[in-house]
PDB file of all heavy atoms in Angstrom:
ATOM      1  N   VAL L  13       0.862  -1.183   0.000  1.00 95.00           N
ATOM      2  CA  VAL L  13       0.000   0.000   0.000  1.00 95.00           C
ATOM      3  C   VAL L  13       0.895   1.228   0.000  1.00 95.00           C
ATOM      4  O   VAL L  13       1.908   1.270   0.708  1.00 95.00           O
ATOM      5  CB  VAL L  13      -0.925   0.000   1.234  1.00 95.00           C
ATOM      6  CG1 VAL L  13      -1.680   1.309   1.342  1.00 95.00           C
ATOM      7  CG2 VAL L  13      -1.894  -1.177   1.181  1.00 95.00           C
ATOM      8  N   ALA L  14       0.533   2.231  -0.800  1.00 97.00           N
ATOM      9  CA  ALA L  14       1.324   3.463  -0.882  1.00 97.00           C
ATOM     10  C   ALA L  14       0.776   4.507   0.082  1.00 97.00           C
ATOM     11  O   ALA L  14      -0.436   4.633   0.257  1.00 97.00           O
ATOM     12  CB  ALA L  14       1.318   4.006  -2.303  1.00 97.00           C
ATOM     13  N   LEU L  15       1.694   5.255   0.705  1.00 97.00           N
ATOM     14  CA  LEU L  15       1.324   6.348   1.596  1.00 97.00           C
ATOM     15  C   LEU L  15       1.801   7.647   0.950  1.00 97.00           C
ATOM     16  O   LEU L  15       3.002   7.834   0.728  1.00 97.00           O
ATOM     17  CB  LEU L  15       1.982   6.153   2.965  1.00 97.00           C
ATOM     18  CG  LEU L  15       1.497   7.066   4.091  1.00 97.00           C
ATOM     19  CD1 LEU L  15       0.057   6.734   4.453  1.00 97.00           C
ATOM     20  CD2 LEU L  15       2.388   6.915   5.324  1.00 97.00           C
ATOM     21  N   ALA L  16       0.879   8.533   0.615  1.00 97.00           N
ATOM     22  CA  ALA L  16       1.234   9.806  -0.025  1.00 97.00           C
ATOM     23  C   ALA L  16       1.827  10.742   1.018  1.00 97.00           C
ATOM     24  O   ALA L  16       1.230  10.980   2.065  1.00 97.00           O
ATOM     25  CB  ALA L  16       0.003  10.424  -0.665  1.00 97.00           C
ATOM     26  N   LEU L  17       2.996  11.318   0.707  1.00 97.00           N
ATOM     27  CA  LEU L  17       3.729  12.138   1.683  1.00 97.00           C
ATOM     28  C   LEU L  17       3.850  13.593   1.264  1.00 97.00           C
ATOM     29  O   LEU L  17       3.970  14.476   2.118  1.00 97.00           O
ATOM     30  CB  LEU L  17       5.141  11.555   1.877  1.00 97.00           C
ATOM     31  CG  LEU L  17       5.232  10.078   2.257  1.00 97.00           C
ATOM     32  CD1 LEU L  17       6.692   9.625   2.241  1.00 97.00           C
ATOM     33  CD2 LEU L  17       4.620   9.837   3.628  1.00 97.00           C
ATOM     34  N   ASP L  18       3.842  13.855  -0.019  1.00 97.00           N
ATOM     35  CA  ASP L  18       4.114  15.200  -0.547  1.00 97.00           C
ATOM     36  C   ASP L  18       2.801  15.903  -0.893  1.00 97.00           C
ATOM     37  O   ASP L  18       1.930  15.320  -1.554  1.00 97.00           O
ATOM     38  CB  ASP L  18       5.002  15.074  -1.789  1.00 97.00           C
ATOM     39  CG  ASP L  18       5.240  16.398  -2.468  1.00 97.00           C
ATOM     40  OD1 ASP L  18       6.023  17.208  -1.933  1.00 97.00           O
ATOM     41  OD2 ASP L  18       4.626  16.629  -3.531  1.00 97.00           O
ATOM     42  N   LEU L  19       2.637  17.157  -0.479  1.00 97.00           N
ATOM     43  CA  LEU L  19       1.378  17.877  -0.702  1.00 97.00           C
ATOM     44  C   LEU L  19       1.087  18.105  -2.176  1.00 97.00           C
ATOM     45  O   LEU L  19      -0.079  18.065  -2.593  1.00 97.00           O
ATOM     46  CB  LEU L  19       1.387  19.208   0.052  1.00 97.00           C
ATOM     47  CG  LEU L  19       1.413  19.141   1.584  1.00 97.00           C
ATOM     48  CD1 LEU L  19       1.225  20.541   2.169  1.00 97.00           C
ATOM     49  CD2 LEU L  19       0.353  18.197   2.121  1.00 97.00           C
ATOM     50  N   ASP L  20       2.113  18.351  -2.966  1.00 97.00           N
ATOM     51  CA  ASP L  20       1.873  18.527  -4.405  1.00 97.00           C
ATOM     52  C   ASP L  20       1.366  17.231  -5.029  1.00 97.00           C
ATOM     53  O   ASP L  20       0.474  17.253  -5.891  1.00 97.00           O
ATOM     54  CB  ASP L  20       3.152  18.982  -5.107  1.00 97.00           C
ATOM     55  CG  ASP L  20       3.495  20.431  -4.814  1.00 97.00           C
ATOM     56  OD1 ASP L  20       2.567  21.217  -4.517  1.00 97.00           O
ATOM     57  OD2 ASP L  20       4.694  20.786  -4.874  1.00 97.00           O
ATOM     58  N   PHE L  21       1.932  16.104  -4.593  1.00 97.00           N
ATOM     59  CA  PHE L  21       1.458  14.823  -5.112  1.00 97.00           C
ATOM     60  C   PHE L  21       0.039  14.539  -4.625  1.00 97.00           C
ATOM     61  O   PHE L  21      -0.784  13.999  -5.367  1.00 97.00           O
ATOM     62  CB  PHE L  21       2.402  13.698  -4.683  1.00 97.00           C
ATOM     63  CG  PHE L  21       1.986  12.340  -5.188  1.00 97.00           C
ATOM     64  CD1 PHE L  21       1.675  12.141  -6.520  1.00 97.00           C
ATOM     65  CD2 PHE L  21       1.894  11.265  -4.322  1.00 97.00           C
ATOM     66  CE1 PHE L  21       1.288  10.894  -6.991  1.00 97.00           C
ATOM     67  CE2 PHE L  21       1.502  10.013  -4.776  1.00 97.00           C
ATOM     68  CZ  PHE L  21       1.198   9.827  -6.118  1.00 97.00           C
ATOM     69  N   ILE L  22      -0.258  14.912  -3.396  1.00 97.00           N
ATOM     70  CA  ILE L  22      -1.616  14.730  -2.875  1.00 97.00           C
ATOM     71  C   ILE L  22      -2.607  15.562  -3.691  1.00 97.00           C
ATOM     72  O   ILE L  22      -3.709  15.091  -4.020  1.00 97.00           O
ATOM     73  CB  ILE L  22      -1.671  15.103  -1.384  1.00 97.00           C
ATOM     74  CG1 ILE L  22      -0.910  14.048  -0.564  1.00 97.00           C
ATOM     75  CG2 ILE L  22      -3.106  15.232  -0.892  1.00 97.00           C
ATOM     76  CD1 ILE L  22      -0.693  14.414   0.877  1.00 97.00           C
ATOM     77  N   LYS L  23      -2.218  16.774  -4.047  1.00 97.00           N
ATOM     78  CA  LYS L  23      -3.082  17.605  -4.902  1.00 97.00           C
ATOM     79  C   LYS L  23      -3.278  16.950  -6.264  1.00 97.00           C
ATOM     80  O   LYS L  23      -4.381  16.983  -6.835  1.00 97.00           O
ATOM     81  CB  LYS L  23      -2.465  18.992  -5.061  1.00 97.00           C
ATOM     82  CG  LYS L  23      -3.336  19.958  -5.859  1.00 97.00           C
ATOM     83  CD  LYS L  23      -2.692  21.342  -5.932  1.00 97.00           C
ATOM     84  CE  LYS L  23      -3.571  22.302  -6.733  1.00 97.00           C
ATOM     85  NZ  LYS L  23      -2.949  23.653  -6.823  1.00 97.00           N
ATOM     86  N   THR L  24      -2.226  16.320  -6.771  1.00 97.00           N
ATOM     87  CA  THR L  24      -2.326  15.607  -8.044  1.00 97.00           C
ATOM     88  C   THR L  24      -3.314  14.449  -7.942  1.00 97.00           C
ATOM     89  O   THR L  24      -4.142  14.235  -8.833  1.00 97.00           O
ATOM     90  CB  THR L  24      -0.938  15.074  -8.459  1.00 97.00           C
ATOM     91  OG1 THR L  24      -0.064  16.182  -8.686  1.00 97.00           O
ATOM     92  CG2 THR L  24      -1.022  14.248  -9.736  1.00 97.00           C
ATOM     93  N   ILE L  25      -3.258  13.719  -6.836  1.00 96.00           N
ATOM     94  CA  ILE L  25      -4.161  12.580  -6.629  1.00 96.00           C
ATOM     95  C   ILE L  25      -5.614  13.044  -6.577  1.00 96.00           C
ATOM     96  O   ILE L  25      -6.490  12.478  -7.239  1.00 96.00           O
ATOM     97  CB  ILE L  25      -3.806  11.839  -5.317  1.00 96.00           C
ATOM     98  CG1 ILE L  25      -2.448  11.148  -5.441  1.00 96.00           C
ATOM     99  CG2 ILE L  25      -4.887  10.819  -4.955  1.00 96.00           C
ATOM    100  CD1 ILE L  25      -1.937  10.595  -4.122  1.00 96.00           C
ATOM    101  N   LEU L  26      -5.875  14.070  -5.777  1.00 96.00           N
ATOM    102  CA  LEU L  26      -7.251  14.480  -5.503  1.00 96.00           C
ATOM    103  C   LEU L  26      -7.868  15.335  -6.604  1.00 96.00           C
ATOM    104  O   LEU L  26      -9.093  15.333  -6.760  1.00 96.00           O
ATOM    105  CB  LEU L  26      -7.302  15.244  -4.181  1.00 96.00           C
ATOM    106  CG  LEU L  26      -6.886  14.461  -2.926  1.00 96.00           C
ATOM    107  CD1 LEU L  26      -6.938  15.369  -1.707  1.00 96.00           C
ATOM    108  CD2 LEU L  26      -7.768  13.239  -2.727  1.00 96.00           C
ATOM    109  N   ILE L  27      -7.023  16.050  -7.350  1.00 96.00           N
ATOM    110  CA  ILE L  27      -7.571  17.018  -8.315  1.00 96.00           C
ATOM    111  C   ILE L  27      -7.013  16.812  -9.729  1.00 96.00           C
ATOM    112  O   ILE L  27      -7.746  16.443 -10.646  1.00 96.00           O
ATOM    113  CB  ILE L  27      -7.288  18.457  -7.836  1.00 96.00           C
ATOM    114  CG1 ILE L  27      -7.877  18.687  -6.436  1.00 96.00           C
ATOM    115  CG2 ILE L  27      -7.865  19.475  -8.829  1.00 96.00           C
ATOM    116  CD1 ILE L  27      -7.482  19.994  -5.801  1.00 96.00           C
ATOM    117  N   LYS L  28      -5.723  17.052  -9.903  1.00 95.00           N
ATOM    118  CA  LYS L  28      -5.138  17.105 -11.239  1.00 95.00           C
ATOM    119  C   LYS L  28      -5.298  15.791 -11.996  1.00 95.00           C
ATOM    120  O   LYS L  28      -5.715  15.770 -13.165  1.00 95.00           O
ATOM    121  CB  LYS L  28      -3.655  17.488 -11.144  1.00 95.00           C
ATOM    122  CG  LYS L  28      -2.979  17.630 -12.496  1.00 95.00           C
ATOM    123  CD  LYS L  28      -1.521  18.020 -12.329  1.00 95.00           C
ATOM    124  CE  LYS L  28      -0.821  18.084 -13.690  1.00 95.00           C
ATOM    125  NZ  LYS L  28       0.616  18.412 -13.535  1.00 95.00           N
ATOM    126  N   ASP L  29      -4.935  14.679 -11.364  1.00 95.00           N
ATOM    127  CA  ASP L  29      -5.032  13.362 -12.009  1.00 95.00           C
ATOM    128  C   ASP L  29      -6.148  12.532 -11.386  1.00 95.00           C
ATOM    129  O   ASP L  29      -6.032  11.305 -11.257  1.00 95.00           O
ATOM    130  CB  ASP L  29      -3.699  12.610 -11.908  1.00 95.00           C
ATOM    131  CG  ASP L  29      -2.655  13.165 -12.857  1.00 95.00           C
ATOM    132  OD1 ASP L  29      -3.028  13.917 -13.781  1.00 95.00           O
ATOM    133  OD2 ASP L  29      -1.462  12.850 -12.685  1.00 95.00           O
ATOM    134  N   PHE L  30      -7.226  13.199 -11.032  1.00 95.00           N
ATOM    135  CA  PHE L  30      -8.336  12.519 -10.369  1.00 95.00           C
ATOM    136  C   PHE L  30      -8.858  11.334 -11.188  1.00 95.00           C
ATOM    137  O   PHE L  30      -9.301  10.333 -10.628  1.00 95.00           O
ATOM    138  CB  PHE L  30      -9.476  13.521 -10.124  1.00 95.00           C
ATOM    139  CG  PHE L  30     -10.725  12.900  -9.584  1.00 95.00           C
ATOM    140  CD1 PHE L  30     -10.813  12.497  -8.258  1.00 95.00           C
ATOM    141  CD2 PHE L  30     -11.838  12.700 -10.406  1.00 95.00           C
ATOM    142  CE1 PHE L  30     -11.968  11.916  -7.759  1.00 95.00           C
ATOM    143  CE2 PHE L  30     -12.996  12.120  -9.920  1.00 95.00           C
ATOM    144  CZ  PHE L  30     -13.061  11.723  -8.590  1.00 95.00           C
ATOM    145  N   GLN L  31      -8.771  11.433 -12.520  1.00 94.00           N
ATOM    146  CA  GLN L  31      -9.310  10.367 -13.371  1.00 94.00           C
ATOM    147  C   GLN L  31      -8.613   9.026 -13.118  1.00 94.00           C
ATOM    148  O   GLN L  31      -9.187   7.966 -13.376  1.00 94.00           O
ATOM    149  CB  GLN L  31      -9.204  10.743 -14.855  1.00 94.00           C
ATOM    150  CG  GLN L  31      -7.776  10.784 -15.421  1.00 94.00           C
ATOM    151  CD  GLN L  31      -7.107  12.124 -15.235  1.00 94.00           C
ATOM    152  OE1 GLN L  31      -7.516  12.914 -14.397  1.00 94.00           O
ATOM    153  NE2 GLN L  31      -6.089  12.396 -16.037  1.00 94.00           N
ATOM    154  N   HIS L  32      -7.401   9.065 -12.585  1.00 93.00           N
ATOM    155  CA  HIS L  32      -6.682   7.824 -12.264  1.00 93.00           C
ATOM    156  C   HIS L  32      -6.983   7.345 -10.845  1.00 93.00           C
ATOM    157  O   HIS L  32      -6.751   6.176 -10.514  1.00 93.00           O
ATOM    158  CB  HIS L  32      -5.171   8.033 -12.393  1.00 93.00           C
ATOM    159  CG  HIS L  32      -4.727   8.415 -13.768  1.00 93.00           C
ATOM    160  ND1 HIS L  32      -4.784   7.553 -14.847  1.00 93.00           N
ATOM    161  CD2 HIS L  32      -4.216   9.583 -14.258  1.00 93.00           C
ATOM    162  CE1 HIS L  32      -4.325   8.167 -15.936  1.00 93.00           C
ATOM    163  NE2 HIS L  32      -3.984   9.395 -15.600  1.00 93.00           N
ATOM    164  N   PHE L  33      -7.495   8.245 -10.007  1.00 93.00           N
ATOM    165  CA  PHE L  33      -7.649   7.944  -8.579  1.00 93.00           C
ATOM    166  C   PHE L  33      -9.089   8.159  -8.098  1.00 93.00           C
ATOM    167  O   PHE L  33      -9.313   8.455  -6.936  1.00 93.00           O
ATOM    168  CB  PHE L  33      -6.730   8.850  -7.746  1.00 93.00           C
ATOM    169  CG  PHE L  33      -5.263   8.668  -7.992  1.00 93.00           C
ATOM    170  CD1 PHE L  33      -4.598   9.422  -8.948  1.00 93.00           C
ATOM    171  CD2 PHE L  33      -4.529   7.741  -7.251  1.00 93.00           C
ATOM    172  CE1 PHE L  33      -3.235   9.274  -9.162  1.00 93.00           C
ATOM    173  CE2 PHE L  33      -3.170   7.582  -7.451  1.00 93.00           C
ATOM    174  CZ  PHE L  33      -2.519   8.342  -8.411  1.00 93.00           C
ATOM    175  N   HIS L  34     -10.082   8.023  -8.990  1.00 90.00           N
ATOM    176  CA  HIS L  34     -11.426   8.458  -8.595  1.00 90.00           C
ATOM    177  C   HIS L  34     -12.142   7.488  -7.663  1.00 90.00           C
ATOM    178  O   HIS L  34     -13.138   7.846  -7.039  1.00 90.00           O
ATOM    179  CB  HIS L  34     -12.300   8.763  -9.823  1.00 90.00           C
ATOM    180  CG  HIS L  34     -12.457   7.633 -10.790  1.00 90.00           C
ATOM    181  ND1 HIS L  34     -13.199   6.518 -10.530  1.00 90.00           N
ATOM    182  CD2 HIS L  34     -11.950   7.474 -12.044  1.00 90.00           C
ATOM    183  CE1 HIS L  34     -13.163   5.713 -11.582  1.00 90.00           C
ATOM    184  NE2 HIS L  34     -12.406   6.254 -12.505  1.00 90.00           N
ATOM    185  N   ASP L  35     -11.668   6.254  -7.530  1.00 90.00           N
ATOM    186  CA  ASP L  35     -12.332   5.297  -6.652  1.00 90.00           C
ATOM    187  C   ASP L  35     -11.614   5.184  -5.312  1.00 90.00           C
ATOM    188  O   ASP L  35     -10.395   5.372  -5.225  1.00 90.00           O
ATOM    189  CB  ASP L  35     -12.405   3.920  -7.306  1.00 90.00           C
ATOM    190  CG  ASP L  35     -13.311   3.912  -8.538  1.00 90.00           C
ATOM    191  OD1 ASP L  35     -14.156   4.821  -8.631  1.00 90.00           O
ATOM    192  OD2 ASP L  35     -13.152   3.020  -9.390  1.00 90.00           O
ATOM    193  N   ARG L  36     -12.359   4.842  -4.280  1.00 89.00           N
ATOM    194  CA  ARG L  36     -11.775   4.689  -2.946  1.00 89.00           C
ATOM    195  C   ARG L  36     -11.219   3.286  -2.724  1.00 89.00           C
ATOM    196  O   ARG L  36     -10.408   3.071  -1.819  1.00 89.00           O
ATOM    197  CB  ARG L  36     -12.824   4.987  -1.867  1.00 89.00           C
ATOM    198  CG  ARG L  36     -13.376   6.406  -1.913  1.00 89.00           C
ATOM    199  CD  ARG L  36     -14.326   6.652  -0.759  1.00 89.00           C
ATOM    200  NE  ARG L  36     -15.063   7.900  -0.898  1.00 89.00           N
ATOM    201  CZ  ARG L  36     -14.615   9.085  -0.521  1.00 89.00           C
ATOM    202  NH1 ARG L  36     -13.417   9.185   0.021  1.00 89.00           N
ATOM    203  NH2 ARG L  36     -15.352  10.170  -0.680  1.00 89.00           N
ATOM    204  N   GLY L  37     -11.676   2.335  -3.503  1.00 82.00           N
ATOM    205  CA  GLY L  37     -11.181   0.975  -3.358  1.00 82.00           C
ATOM    206  C   GLY L  37     -11.818   0.196  -2.229  1.00 82.00           C
ATOM    207  O   GLY L  37     -11.330  -0.864  -1.840  1.00 82.00           O
ATOM    208  N   PHE L  38     -12.918   0.713  -1.678  1.00 80.00           N
ATOM    209  CA  PHE L  38     -13.620  -0.001  -0.613  1.00 80.00           C
ATOM    210  C   PHE L  38     -14.518  -1.073  -1.223  1.00 80.00           C
ATOM    211  O   PHE L  38     -14.979  -0.964  -2.355  1.00 80.00           O
ATOM    212  CB  PHE L  38     -14.476   0.961   0.218  1.00 80.00           C
ATOM    213  CG  PHE L  38     -13.687   1.964   0.990  1.00 80.00           C
ATOM    214  CD1 PHE L  38     -14.231   3.215   1.272  1.00 80.00           C
ATOM    215  CD2 PHE L  38     -12.405   1.690   1.435  1.00 80.00           C
ATOM    216  CE1 PHE L  38     -13.516   4.155   1.982  1.00 80.00           C
ATOM    217  CE2 PHE L  38     -11.673   2.633   2.150  1.00 80.00           C
ATOM    218  CZ  PHE L  38     -12.233   3.868   2.425  1.00 80.00           C
ATOM    219  N   TYR L  39     -14.794  -2.076  -0.430  1.00 71.00           N
ATOM    220  CA  TYR L  39     -15.678  -3.162  -0.862  1.00 71.00           C
ATOM    221  C   TYR L  39     -17.130  -2.710  -0.804  1.00 71.00           C
ATOM    222  O   TYR L  39     -17.553  -2.070   0.157  1.00 71.00           O
ATOM    223  CB  TYR L  39     -15.467  -4.369   0.049  1.00 71.00           C
ATOM    224  CG  TYR L  39     -16.433  -5.510  -0.192  1.00 71.00           C
ATOM    225  CD1 TYR L  39     -16.312  -6.315  -1.326  1.00 71.00           C
ATOM    226  CD2 TYR L  39     -17.459  -5.779   0.703  1.00 71.00           C
ATOM    227  CE1 TYR L  39     -17.188  -7.356  -1.548  1.00 71.00           C
ATOM    228  CE2 TYR L  39     -18.336  -6.830   0.492  1.00 71.00           C
ATOM    229  CZ  TYR L  39     -18.193  -7.618  -0.640  1.00 71.00           C
ATOM    230  OH  TYR L  39     -19.063  -8.654  -0.850  1.00 71.00           O
TER     231      TYR L  39
END
């Protein structure tokens, strides 16, 4: 499991590249 550490990368996850990260992965 990856742990996001950098705020710019976190912004990329949540906003900029949201199309790659749009699911939460919960069952």
Side-chain angles (χ1 to χ4, degrees):
V13 172
L15 191 68
L17 306 173
D18 175 74
L19 294 188
D20 286 334
F21 180 50
I22 290 170
K23 184 178 180 181
T24 296
I25 292 171
L26 298 178
I27 303 172
K28 183 180 177 182
D29 286 345
F30 174 75
Q31 69 273 20
H32 299 292
F33 297 91
H34 57 71
D35 294 339
R36 299 184 191 275
F38 294 150
Y39 173 73

